[in-house]
Each structure stands twice: as structure tokens, then as C-alpha cells.
Amino acid sequence: MIRKRLICMAVILAVAGAAIPLTLSFYLSWNHALQARQEKLAHIANKAIVRTNQVLNEVNQALHTMADLRQPACSDAHIRQMRMIAIDNRSVEEVRYVEGGLLKCTSWGIPRETGSHPATDVVLSNGMHATLGVVSAASGGKQMTGLHYLAHHVLIDPARFVDVIADGDIQLAVATADGSVLGSVNVPDPQRIRQLLLHPERSQTEQDLFAQVGDRELVAIALESRSSVLVSLQQEQTLLLPVGVILAALLVGLVGWRLQQRLSPLGELTIAVQQREFVVHYQPLMELSSGACIGAEALVRWQRQDGSMVRPDLFIPLAEQSGLILPITDQVVAAVVSDLQAMLSHDKQLHVAVNVCADDIRSGRILEVVYRALEGTGIASPQIWLEATERGFIDIDAACITLTKARQGGHRIAIDDFGTGYSSLSCLQGLPLDALKIDKSFIDTIGTEAATSSVTPHIIAMAKTLSLKVVAEGVETQAQADCLLALGVDYAQGWLYGKAMPAAQFSRFYLERKKPVAVVSAPAPVLSA
Ligand code: C2E
Ligand code: CA
Ligand code: CA
């Protein structure tokens, strides 16, 4: 269930992990491209303003030069002067002399028809007047922008005002503040430009991208289709997309790695600890002389969510390696109290032995754990035995401190799996122990020809000399039990009596097999005379 949920979550995270950086890289590229285009348009519009001011200054100078001319109007000399000015000024296409609203002569001579000259549309701040859409025969009927000061007029190709280097499809226009377009290039719809100039916010559309730049008197507008951003977007994406792809791959990899970790044996054990998936079974401990049950060993089982049980030897080594054994021990102690509190607090003869890992023996942490668990439960500390294997005695001084404290606290201490480790009986002398559990491998040899079988009686005898109670582990046959009793072994544990069983089953077992309580007859009442 959890596995499925984890995989689902990982898939969602992986999809999000891939989608977010890619979307982000696209979004950033788009914004960047948009900003770049916008900046470019603003730059072009700015250049157009500069260019227009340049043209206006040139024209202004030319017009003032002509105003100062002293030759008779439309004389050859006057016309030659006007022609010189048209030739010298790149922006000026034609110079005209107008008197009383009538065109008298131009830089090209005396016109055949001296018609009226169009009226002024805009007056510029430097005193120049501008007339838009002036048609001149000399320019082949093209519409020109006329600028005049006093009697002299110059005609300028409107494209001259916006004569700046711009991309082919950028529409560019320069106008006066009131929207009179002095010059434009690439503008198919001048009305649209006028609208944008006068009401930029209202006239903006989703399809267009534009920038408007203005100075005191002039406004320039550069406009292009939004699709042009796609070109810049491609350039931006060659930079940002690989970053997005790498980031997405990293995130997906990270999710995969975390999932693998979570689904690894250690990951699963960690989840099991968090979910408190551990239960405790109890294996009866029998007194050999009476055949009565006097206690139990608490043996942990990992009950997975699908109901299956995992044996401790499959996960205890990993738990010990990773340190997870500490929270598992806490759960075992808590389970012992909650499973058997009623029976333990009621029957002080009953005890439960808890397996303690090497780390806990070294640090002494277990004492605090047990102390807190028993607080207020009515269970006495001698009812909790602690079983430590020889691995816990590697740091013999630290072990000695913990065991001494444990005994002072009232607990009984048993050395577990005796005979499988390196420690000798003499090394046990210095340790405060109460019982020695002989490993099953020795018990199995009883009554066989195996070399070790002869060792078992010696272990028992030495334990006796150290005043240790002896527990035989893994007793499976009555013959073994008889032999162990004859050798002086006190207690036995094994399938002969019962396997580790759930708490309720153990309670029934114990009630059937416990030591009968000795009945002490009350003294006869003394009758007073
Ligand atoms: P152990 O402490 O030596 O526990 C005795 C093991 O021998 C238990 O295996 C028990 O079921 C098994 N056993 C008892 N009688 C017989 C028998 O007659 N025949 C056979 N073939 N086996 C018998 P289990 O429960 O699988 O535990 C294995 C080991 O896991 C334990 O060995 C102990 O070292 C460790 N363990 C179990 N519970 C805990 C715990 O709460 N904390 C720690 N630190 N270790 C634990
Ligand atoms: Ca044990
Ligand atoms: Ca053992």
C-alpha cells in the first residue's frame, strides 16, 4: 500500500520535476525574448527621434540661410541658390518660394503652373511650419512633407525622418505630439499608427509589439508583429532550454534516487519504524525442576501491512547497522508493557526478558527507556530481565557501568547466546550478571558424539561456580530437557514447551503452566478464656 503510494507520489514528483524547469525555461526564454524585442523597438524609435531632430535642424539652418538671401525673388541667382541648398542637403528634395499663398518658383526653376501652396498643418516650436502630404511634380507625384519659414519651403521625403537601420518588417513612424505623422516607413495602415500615438493603451493588441519614445515635441513609434518574438525565442532557448533539460533530468534523477532509497531494505525498515509495524511474540521460559512457566522472552516480529511476518534475523542485523534498532527496542519495551501490564502487575513471579542491542549496553540508554515505560504501570523492575549478547561487551568498561546500574535498578541480567562469541567464562567474572543462556548449538549436541557436547557440562559447572542461573536455549526434545536437568541447568526455553507466541496465547499458556502459589495456612485463632 505504502509502496504503491510512494511510487505514485514519485511519479507525480518526477512529472512535476520535469515539467516545472522546462516550463520555467520556456517562460523565461519567452519573457527574455519579449523584453529583448521591446528594447530593440525602443532603441529604433529613439534613433528615429534623433534622426528627425537632425533633419529638422538641417532644414532649419537651410531655411534661415534662404531667408537671408538678398537676390531678387525667382531670379536665376535665387533659383541657383535654392538648387544648391537642395543638392547640399541630403534630406531636402526640393526648395520652393511661395508668395501670397502662390508657388512662384522652385529649386528646379519657374513652374509651368503657379498654383496655390497647401496650408500649414503644424507649427513647430522653432517657428517652422509643417505641411503634410505635399505633392510635387519633381518627385514624381510622391507625397512629401513640407517645412517652411517665411517665404521659403523645403520638401522632404517622409522616409528621411525615419531613415535609420531597422529590421525589414518593423513599422516606424515619427509624429508631432498631436499625431501629425512627419515621416514613416513600412506603415501599411497610417491610421493605426495615429491611434497608437494618441491612445497607446487603448490601441494595443495581442498581435502587436510596439515601443513609443518621445521628446519634448516629437513621438516615434516602432511596431512589429508578436510573431517576430519567436525568432528571438529560438535564440534564447538554445541557451535556456539545455539548462531546463539538465535541471529536469536532475530532479527526475533525484526523485528516482530517493524512491530507490525509500524502497531499499533500509528505506522499508525506516518506514516500518515510523509506522510502528513491530509486534512482540513471547516464548515461554520454563523451570526445569518444576516444569512450570516462570517467564518469557520478548521476541520482536515485523508485521508488514499485508499481514506477513518478517523474522527478526532478517532485519535485526540491518537495524543494528543503521541504528534503527534503538527505536525498535523502544517499541518492543512499549509493547511488553501494553501487552502484559495486567498480568505482570498482578503476578510478581512472572518476568519478561528483553533483548538489548550492543549500542544500548554501551550507552546505557536502555535503562532510561525501561524506567520511563514502567513508570506508573505497577510492573516491578525485577520483572524485566535484560538479555545482552557478548557483542555488547566489546567495550567492557562501558558495559560494566550499564549492567551495574541495571542491577541497582532491580533488573536481572542474562548473557545471551553464550558460547558463540569470543568471551571466556573468566571474562564474565568481572561482570554483574545473573544468568547465562547457553546457545542452541550446544544444546543440539547433547546426547550426540559431537566434540562440543563434552563442553556443555563444563560451561554449566563454571556458570554454577560463578553463581549464575543457567538457561538452556532451543530445547526441542524431552531427552535434552532430562539431560539438562541432570546437569543442573535451572531453566529451559525451546519448542519442546512452546514457540514464540502472541501475547494473548502466552497469557493462556502461562496461566495453565505457572507455578502454583504456595498456600500458607493461617495460625489458629487464640481463644481468650
Ligand atoms: P535469540 O535472542 O537467541 O532468540 C532465540 C531465537 O531462537 C528466537 O528466534 C526463537 O524463536 C528461536 N528458538 C527458540 N527456541 C527454539 C527451538 O527450540 N528451536 C529452534 N530452531 N529455534 C528456537 P527469533 O525469534 O527468530 O529471534 C532470532 C534472534 O533475533 C534472537 O535470537 C535475537 O538475537 C534477535 N531478536 C529477536 N527479538 C529481538 C529484540 O527485540 N531486540 C533485539 N536486539 N534482538 C532481537
Ligand atoms: Ca535472546
Ligand atoms: Ca539466544
Side-chain angles (χ1 to χ4, degrees):
M1 191 64 192
I2 286 203
R3 208 184 160 86
K4 261 193 195 161
R5 229 176 33 212
L6 271 174
I7 293 173
C8 275
M9 260 171 60
V11 169
I12 293 170
L13 278 176
V15 170
I20 291 171
L22 289 176
T23 316
L24 203 69
S25 81
F26 184 80
Y27 173 79
L28 288 177
S29 307
W30 175 260
N31 265 2
H32 213 251
L34 206 65
Q35 200 185 344
R37 285 315 290 182
Q38 200 96 41
E39 277 169 11
K40 179 155 194 180
L41 289 176
H43 179 67
I44 289 170
N46 205 42
K47 279 207 310 200
I49 292 267
V50 171
R51 173 76 189 132
T52 303
N53 278 321
Q54 206 182 340
V55 170
L56 290 177
N57 282 340
E58 268 177 34
V59 169
N60 193 29
Q61 260 179 20
L63 284 171
H64 277 85
T65 312
M66 283 184 292
D68 294 342
L69 290 180
R70 291 287 161 254
Q71 291 96 337
C74 294
S75 62
D76 283 350
H78 179 217
I79 290 173
R80 209 177 311 119
Q81 274 292 339
M82 289 201 294
R83 191 174 303 149
M84 287 310 293
I85 286 181
I87 291 166
D88 287 351
N89 286 280
R90 218 168 63 85
S91 329
V92 175
E93 302 286 326
E94 186 179 312
V95 182
R96 289 178 164 193
Y97 181 77
V98 177
E99 212 177 72
L102 294 174
L103 173 64
K104 294 290 181 185
C105 56
T106 74
S107 43
W108 314 118
I110 310 283
R112 259 181 251 132
E113 290 169 27
T114 55
S116 62
H117 190 83
T120 295
D121 289 314
V122 203
V123 179
L124 301 176
S125 59
N126 56 6
M128 273 196 304
H129 291 225
T131 307
L132 309 175
V134 181
V135 180
S136 143
S139 59
K142 192 176 172 187
Q143 291 209 332
M144 300 287 198
T145 298
L147 292 167
H148 78 266
Y149 176 66
L150 301 178
H152 286 97
H153 292 236
V154 293
L155 296 191
I156 294 161
D157 183 344
R160 292 284 179 211
F161 294 105
V162 288
D163 197 7
V164 294
I165 297 165
D167 292 1
D169 34 12
I170 291 179
Q171 301 180 37
L172 187 58
V174 174
T176 54
D178 66 352
S180 304
V181 178
L182 295 179
S184 65
V185 69
N186 281 338
V187 175
D189 179 8
Q191 195 51 31
R192 167 112 182 85
I193 293 290
R194 266 181 71 83
Q195 272 176 359
L196 273 173
L197 281 168
L198 297 174
H199 312 288
E201 352 45 64
R202 268 191 274 150
S203 318
Q204 210 166 343
T205 69
E206 283 296 306
Q207 289 84 42
D208 295 336
L209 203 63
F210 81 99
Q212 190 174 330
V213 172
D215 70 359
R216 176 167 52 82
E217 187 161 40
L218 300 170
V219 186
I221 192 153
L223 175 93
E224 70 177 341
S225 147
R226 243 168 220 269
S227 59
S228 63
V229 179
L230 292 175
V231 181
S232 307
L233 182 68
Q234 270 173 4
Q235 290 163 359
E236 290 292 333
Q237 282 205 324
T238 50
L239 262 171
L240 280 174
L241 197 66
V243 177
V245 169
I246 291 170
L247 212 65
L250 276 176
L251 285 175
V252 171
L254 192 75
V255 170
W257 178 67
R258 283 293 296 154
L259 180 70
Q260 203 191 6
Q261 268 196 333
R262 293 287 275 181
L263 296 181
S264 68
L266 181 58
E268 288 203 290
L269 194 62
T270 309
I271 297 172
V273 169
Q274 285 161 2
Q275 305 277 326
R276 302 185 75 84
E277 287 180 5
F278 298 96
V279 294
V280 175
H281 284 185
Y282 300 88
Q283 187 175 34
L285 182 75
M286 314 301 287
E287 187 178 60
L288 276 174
S289 57
S290 62
C293 178
I294 55 146
E297 178 178 358
L299 292 162
V300 72
R301 266 100 185 91
W302 174 4
Q303 186 166 31
R304 305 190 69 143
Q305 296 213 338
D306 59 7
S308 62
M309 285 283 187
V310 184
R311 284 195 349 249
D313 40 351
L314 294 182
F315 64 87
I316 292 288
L318 180 60
E320 284 183 338
Q321 246 176 43
S322 60
L324 283 173
I325 190 65
L326 304 182
I328 292 176
T329 304
D330 296 357
Q331 288 180 31
V332 168
V333 172
V336 168
V337 171
S338 75
D339 286 346
L340 300 177
Q341 182 189 358
M343 230 163 67
L344 282 165
S345 58
H346 179 253
D347 183 349
K348 299 287 185 228
Q349 287 190 71
L350 174 65
H351 80 263
V352 175
V354 172
N355 289 286
V356 181
C357 69
D359 269 359
D360 268 341
I361 292 294
R362 203 176 45 243
S363 68
R365 186 199 74 105
I366 184 72
L367 302 180
E368 182 68 16
V369 172
V370 176
Y371 177 78
R372 293 214 175 282
L374 296 191
E375 239 178 352
T377 59
I379 303 170
S381 49
Q383 291 181 277
I384 302 298
W385 290 21
L386 303 178
E387 288 188 12
T389 60
E390 292 162 76
R391 272 173 313 189
F393 305 144
I394 293 172
D395 183 349
I396 193 101
D397 296 334
C400 201
I401 293 170
T402 302
L403 299 188
T404 307
K405 279 190 193 160
R407 282 182 104 209
Q408 283 164 355
H411 299 292
R412 301 269 176 278
I413 316 287
I415 179 163
D416 202 0
D417 301 341
F418 187 80
T420 56
Y422 64 90
S423 57
S424 62
L425 274 172
S426 60
C427 137
L428 300 183
Q429 257 179 315
L431 287 168
L433 297 171
D434 296 282
L436 181 148
K437 293 184 88 170
I438 305 174
D439 190 68
K440 180 177 181 300
S441 54
F442 291 95
I443 307 304
D444 286 345
T445 62
I446 288 175
T448 68
E449 294 305 310
T452 43
S453 69
S454 55
V455 177
T456 315
H458 294 289
I459 296 174
I460 298 165
M462 293 279 281
K464 290 278 150 196
T465 59
L466 291 171
S467 309
L468 297 177
K469 294 283 184 195
V470 181
V471 183
E473 282 190 300
V475 179
E476 289 181 347
T477 64
Q478 190 55 50
Q480 287 171 333
D482 295 340
C483 186
L484 290 163
L485 179 64
L487 288 169
V489 171
D490 306 281
Y491 309 117
Q493 197 181 334
W495 292 356
L496 174 64
Y497 313 102
K499 291 187 175 179
M501 54 190 89
Q505 198 181 332
F506 171 71
S507 298
R508 288 193 295 276
F509 181 97
Y510 178 71
L511 292 176
E512 279 168 22
R513 304 285 300 268
K514 70 176 192 171
K515 253 183 174 173
V517 182
V519 181
V520 182
S521 51
V526 181
L527 295 173
S528 54

